[in-house]
């Protein structure tokens, strides 16, 4: 704007000679350049040296099941009903199914009750299968039915909590907004379930702001017994730090979570084809 005369020398508090000298140094407009948003570390990642871990066929992945499910209790974020989640898990013969609604555990009791009902149906179908098989053996007839799953479906209860360093603060400004990240916490026993319930209650009673129940890392550390922590997706505490602040901050948070939860801390690998999730080729 200085170069094309929109901003005069008087406004800049310089002489006309100084302005003319500036225009002689920069006669051409600024060339277009790419603006990168939330992908600051993408190029850095692509330059990292790759390590060959061999064939993935040699890795025992165990029995797969999906624990990172959100239901209709994640308001405006998910539409899956609890019965649909359990039905899909049963159809795929998953050994377990999980539910980690955003910020609340209001569907936990209904979820566990529905899984128990599904397990009753599993046991009934397997008993009918065994009866038919025995009758076929006694009658010497061919029996080709596929054996249904007999093991009960395991409910994995958890919650994807919102984290705020100032979780009890209720007033923010445009220049100093409430900055939130997320973390997935799972209950590995009944004590863990009670601690998750306490965190959820605190989030609503003390940390509720603008429709969001929030907790802090310090609170999570206080109620960590019987709890498993995971890094969550790109809005997670560690991924968000890497994308918006840098890898150094991400490493600091990774160390905090690892030191706090030790062997009960896990990294989630997700791929929704988003640029932020891109890994080195």
């Amino acid at each position: 704007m200085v170069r094309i005369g929109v901003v005069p020398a008087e406004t800049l508090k310089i002489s006309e000679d100084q302005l003319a000298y500036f225009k002689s140094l920069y006669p051409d407009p600024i060339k277009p350049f790419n603006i990168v948003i939330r992908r600051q570390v993408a190029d850095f990642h692509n330059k990292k040296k790759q390590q060959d871990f061999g064939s993935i066929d040699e890795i025992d992945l165990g029995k797969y099941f999906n624990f990172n499910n959100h239901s209709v209790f994640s308001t405006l974020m998910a539409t899956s009903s609890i019965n649909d989640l359990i039905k899909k898990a049963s159809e795929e013969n998953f050994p377990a199914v999980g539910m980690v609604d955003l910020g609340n555990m209001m569907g936990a009791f209904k979820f566990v009750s529905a899984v128990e009902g599904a397990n009753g149906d599993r046991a009934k179908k397997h008993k009918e299968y065994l009866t038919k098989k025995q009758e076929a053996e006694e009658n010497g007839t061919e029996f080709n039915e596929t054996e249904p799953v007999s093991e009960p479906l395991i409910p994995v209860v958890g919650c994807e909590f919102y984290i705020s360093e100032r979780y009890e603060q209720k007033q923010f400004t445009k220049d100093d907004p409430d900055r939130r990240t997320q973390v997935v916490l799972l209950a590995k026993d009944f004590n863990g379930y009670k601690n998750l319930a306490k965190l959820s209650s605190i989030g609503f009673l003390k940390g509720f702001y603008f429709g969001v129940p929030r907790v802090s890392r310090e609170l999570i550390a206080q109620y960590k017994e019987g709890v498993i922590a995971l890094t969550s997706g790109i809005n997670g505490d560690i991924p968000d730090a890497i994308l918006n602040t840098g890898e150094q901050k991400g490493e600091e948070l990774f160390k905090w979570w690892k030191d706090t939860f030790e062997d009960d801390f896990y990294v989630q690998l997700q791929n929704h084809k988003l640029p932020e999730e891109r890994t080195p080729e």
Side-chain angles (χ1 to χ4, degrees), residues 148-159:
V149 177
S150 60
E151 295 83 4
L153 185 66
I154 301 172
V156 179
V157 178
C159 180

mmCIF file with all atom_site columns, all heavy atoms in Angstrom, residues 148-159:
data_model
loop_
_atom_site.group_PDB
_atom_site.id
_atom_site.type_symbol
_atom_site.label_atom_id
_atom_site.label_alt_id
_atom_site.label_comp_id
_atom_site.label_asym_id
_atom_site.label_entity_id
_atom_site.label_seq_id
_atom_site.pdbx_PDB_ins_code
_atom_site.Cartn_x
_atom_site.Cartn_y
_atom_site.Cartn_z
_atom_site.occupancy
_atom_site.B_iso_or_equiv
_atom_site.pdbx_formal_charge
_atom_site.auth_seq_id
_atom_site.auth_comp_id
_atom_site.auth_asym_id
_atom_site.auth_atom_id
_atom_site.pdbx_PDB_model_num
ATOM 1  N N   . PRO A 1 148 ? -22.102 -70.470 16.122 1.00 0.00 ? 148 PRO A N   1
ATOM 2  C CA  . PRO A 1 148 ? -22.149 -69.066 16.542 1.00 0.00 ? 148 PRO A CA  1
ATOM 3  C C   . PRO A 1 148 ? -21.181 -68.800 17.689 1.00 0.00 ? 148 PRO A C   1
ATOM 4  O O   . PRO A 1 148 ? -20.694 -69.720 18.345 1.00 0.00 ? 148 PRO A O   1
ATOM 5  C CB  . PRO A 1 148 ? -23.601 -68.890 16.991 1.00 0.00 ? 148 PRO A CB  1
ATOM 6  C CG  . PRO A 1 148 ? -24.023 -70.249 17.423 1.00 0.00 ? 148 PRO A CG  1
ATOM 7  C CD  . PRO A 1 148 ? -23.307 -71.212 16.516 1.00 0.00 ? 148 PRO A CD  1
ATOM 8  N N   . VAL A 1 149 ? -20.907 -67.536 17.908 1.00 0.00 ? 149 VAL A N   1
ATOM 9  C CA  . VAL A 1 149 ? -19.987 -67.147 18.978 1.00 0.00 ? 149 VAL A CA  1
ATOM 10 C C   . VAL A 1 149 ? -20.592 -67.515 20.332 1.00 0.00 ? 149 VAL A C   1
ATOM 11 O O   . VAL A 1 149 ? -21.770 -67.258 20.589 1.00 0.00 ? 149 VAL A O   1
ATOM 12 C CB  . VAL A 1 149 ? -19.715 -65.628 18.926 1.00 0.00 ? 149 VAL A CB  1
ATOM 13 C CG1 . VAL A 1 149 ? -18.820 -65.211 20.085 1.00 0.00 ? 149 VAL A CG1 1
ATOM 14 C CG2 . VAL A 1 149 ? -19.078 -65.252 17.599 1.00 0.00 ? 149 VAL A CG2 1
ATOM 15 N N   . SER A 1 150 ? -19.782 -68.136 21.175 1.00 0.00 ? 150 SER A N   1
ATOM 16 C CA  . SER A 1 150 ? -20.270 -68.525 22.499 1.00 0.00 ? 150 SER A CA  1
ATOM 17 C C   . SER A 1 150 ? -19.760 -67.600 23.602 1.00 0.00 ? 150 SER A C   1
ATOM 18 O O   . SER A 1 150 ? -20.402 -67.444 24.640 1.00 0.00 ? 150 SER A O   1
ATOM 19 C CB  . SER A 1 150 ? -19.848 -69.960 22.812 1.00 0.00 ? 150 SER A CB  1
ATOM 20 O OG  . SER A 1 150 ? -18.431 -70.081 22.791 1.00 0.00 ? 150 SER A OG  1
ATOM 21 N N   . GLU A 1 151 ? -18.582 -66.983 23.371 1.00 0.00 ? 151 GLU A N   1
ATOM 22 C CA  . GLU A 1 151 ? -18.027 -66.098 24.388 1.00 0.00 ? 151 GLU A CA  1
ATOM 23 C C   . GLU A 1 151 ? -18.878 -64.843 24.518 1.00 0.00 ? 151 GLU A C   1
ATOM 24 O O   . GLU A 1 151 ? -19.344 -64.285 23.527 1.00 0.00 ? 151 GLU A O   1
ATOM 25 C CB  . GLU A 1 151 ? -16.589 -65.698 24.043 1.00 0.00 ? 151 GLU A CB  1
ATOM 26 C CG  . GLU A 1 151 ? -15.600 -66.839 24.040 1.00 0.00 ? 151 GLU A CG  1
ATOM 27 C CD  . GLU A 1 151 ? -15.613 -67.605 22.727 1.00 0.00 ? 151 GLU A CD  1
ATOM 28 O OE1 . GLU A 1 151 ? -16.352 -67.165 21.816 1.00 0.00 ? 151 GLU A OE1 1
ATOM 29 O OE2 . GLU A 1 151 ? -14.933 -68.631 22.631 1.00 0.00 ? 151 GLU A OE2 1
ATOM 30 N N   . PRO A 1 152 ? -19.082 -64.367 25.736 1.00 0.00 ? 152 PRO A N   1
ATOM 31 C CA  . PRO A 1 152 ? -19.890 -63.155 25.928 1.00 0.00 ? 152 PRO A CA  1
ATOM 32 C C   . PRO A 1 152 ? -19.184 -61.915 25.384 1.00 0.00 ? 152 PRO A C   1
ATOM 33 O O   . PRO A 1 152 ? -17.955 -61.821 25.389 1.00 0.00 ? 152 PRO A O   1
ATOM 34 C CB  . PRO A 1 152 ? -20.057 -63.071 27.449 1.00 0.00 ? 152 PRO A CB  1
ATOM 35 C CG  . PRO A 1 152 ? -18.888 -63.818 27.998 1.00 0.00 ? 152 PRO A CG  1
ATOM 36 C CD  . PRO A 1 152 ? -18.618 -64.930 27.025 1.00 0.00 ? 152 PRO A CD  1
ATOM 37 N N   . LEU A 1 153 ? -19.965 -60.977 24.887 1.00 0.00 ? 153 LEU A N   1
ATOM 38 C CA  . LEU A 1 153 ? -19.444 -59.698 24.406 1.00 0.00 ? 153 LEU A CA  1
ATOM 39 C C   . LEU A 1 153 ? -19.061 -58.852 25.616 1.00 0.00 ? 153 LEU A C   1
ATOM 40 O O   . LEU A 1 153 ? -19.836 -58.720 26.561 1.00 0.00 ? 153 LEU A O   1
ATOM 41 C CB  . LEU A 1 153 ? -20.518 -58.985 23.576 1.00 0.00 ? 153 LEU A CB  1
ATOM 42 C CG  . LEU A 1 153 ? -20.137 -57.686 22.874 1.00 0.00 ? 153 LEU A CG  1
ATOM 43 C CD1 . LEU A 1 153 ? -19.106 -57.957 21.789 1.00 0.00 ? 153 LEU A CD1 1
ATOM 44 C CD2 . LEU A 1 153 ? -21.379 -57.030 22.278 1.00 0.00 ? 153 LEU A CD2 1
ATOM 45 N N   . ILE A 1 154 ? -17.864 -58.292 25.592 1.00 0.00 ? 154 ILE A N   1
ATOM 46 C CA  . ILE A 1 154 ? -17.356 -57.519 26.732 1.00 0.00 ? 154 ILE A CA  1
ATOM 47 C C   . ILE A 1 154 ? -17.639 -56.035 26.513 1.00 0.00 ? 154 ILE A C   1
ATOM 48 O O   . ILE A 1 154 ? -17.220 -55.467 25.500 1.00 0.00 ? 154 ILE A O   1
ATOM 49 C CB  . ILE A 1 154 ? -15.846 -57.732 26.919 1.00 0.00 ? 154 ILE A CB  1
ATOM 50 C CG1 . ILE A 1 154 ? -15.545 -59.217 27.155 1.00 0.00 ? 154 ILE A CG1 1
ATOM 51 C CG2 . ILE A 1 154 ? -15.323 -56.889 28.078 1.00 0.00 ? 154 ILE A CG2 1
ATOM 52 C CD1 . ILE A 1 154 ? -14.066 -59.537 27.165 1.00 0.00 ? 154 ILE A CD1 1
ATOM 53 N N   . PRO A 1 155 ? -18.349 -55.374 27.430 1.00 0.00 ? 155 PRO A N   1
ATOM 54 C CA  . PRO A 1 155 ? -18.568 -53.929 27.297 1.00 0.00 ? 155 PRO A CA  1
ATOM 55 C C   . PRO A 1 155 ? -17.372 -53.142 27.814 1.00 0.00 ? 155 PRO A C   1
ATOM 56 O O   . PRO A 1 155 ? -16.893 -53.388 28.926 1.00 0.00 ? 155 PRO A O   1
ATOM 57 C CB  . PRO A 1 155 ? -19.810 -53.683 28.165 1.00 0.00 ? 155 PRO A CB  1
ATOM 58 C CG  . PRO A 1 155 ? -19.743 -54.754 29.207 1.00 0.00 ? 155 PRO A CG  1
ATOM 59 C CD  . PRO A 1 155 ? -19.077 -55.950 28.571 1.00 0.00 ? 155 PRO A CD  1
ATOM 60 N N   . VAL A 1 156 ? -16.862 -52.222 27.012 1.00 0.00 ? 156 VAL A N   1
ATOM 61 C CA  . VAL A 1 156 ? -15.751 -51.361 27.418 1.00 0.00 ? 156 VAL A CA  1
ATOM 62 C C   . VAL A 1 156 ? -16.315 -49.956 27.628 1.00 0.00 ? 156 VAL A C   1
ATOM 63 O O   . VAL A 1 156 ? -16.745 -49.304 26.682 1.00 0.00 ? 156 VAL A O   1
ATOM 64 C CB  . VAL A 1 156 ? -14.635 -51.342 26.363 1.00 0.00 ? 156 VAL A CB  1
ATOM 65 C CG1 . VAL A 1 156 ? -13.509 -50.405 26.808 1.00 0.00 ? 156 VAL A CG1 1
ATOM 66 C CG2 . VAL A 1 156 ? -14.110 -52.752 26.121 1.00 0.00 ? 156 VAL A CG2 1
ATOM 67 N N   . VAL A 1 157 ? -16.322 -49.520 28.878 1.00 0.00 ? 157 VAL A N   1
ATOM 68 C CA  . VAL A 1 157 ? -16.923 -48.229 29.224 1.00 0.00 ? 157 VAL A CA  1
ATOM 69 C C   . VAL A 1 157 ? -15.842 -47.165 29.334 1.00 0.00 ? 157 VAL A C   1
ATOM 70 O O   . VAL A 1 157 ? -14.793 -47.379 29.942 1.00 0.00 ? 157 VAL A O   1
ATOM 71 C CB  . VAL A 1 157 ? -17.696 -48.327 30.555 1.00 0.00 ? 157 VAL A CB  1
ATOM 72 C CG1 . VAL A 1 157 ? -18.277 -46.971 30.942 1.00 0.00 ? 157 VAL A CG1 1
ATOM 73 C CG2 . VAL A 1 157 ? -18.799 -49.376 30.452 1.00 0.00 ? 157 VAL A CG2 1
ATOM 74 N N   . GLY A 1 158 ? -16.102 -46.015 28.734 1.00 0.00 ? 158 GLY A N   1
ATOM 75 C CA  . GLY A 1 158 ? -15.139 -44.922 28.801 1.00 0.00 ? 158 GLY A CA  1
ATOM 76 C C   . GLY A 1 158 ? -15.793 -43.598 28.504 1.00 0.00 ? 158 GLY A C   1
ATOM 77 O O   . GLY A 1 158 ? -17.016 -43.472 28.445 1.00 0.00 ? 158 GLY A O   1
ATOM 78 N N   . CYS A 1 159 ? -14.965 -42.599 28.302 1.00 0.00 ? 159 CYS A N   1
ATOM 79 C CA  . CYS A 1 159 ? -15.461 -41.260 27.999 1.00 0.00 ? 159 CYS A CA  1
ATOM 80 C C   . CYS A 1 159 ? -14.347 -40.478 27.315 1.00 0.00 ? 159 CYS A C   1
ATOM 81 O O   . CYS A 1 159 ? -13.165 -40.648 27.639 1.00 0.00 ? 159 CYS A O   1
ATOM 82 C CB  . CYS A 1 159 ? -15.889 -40.545 29.280 1.00 0.00 ? 159 CYS A CB  1
ATOM 83 S SG  . CYS A 1 159 ? -16.532 -38.873 29.037 1.00 0.00 ? 159 CYS A SG  1
#
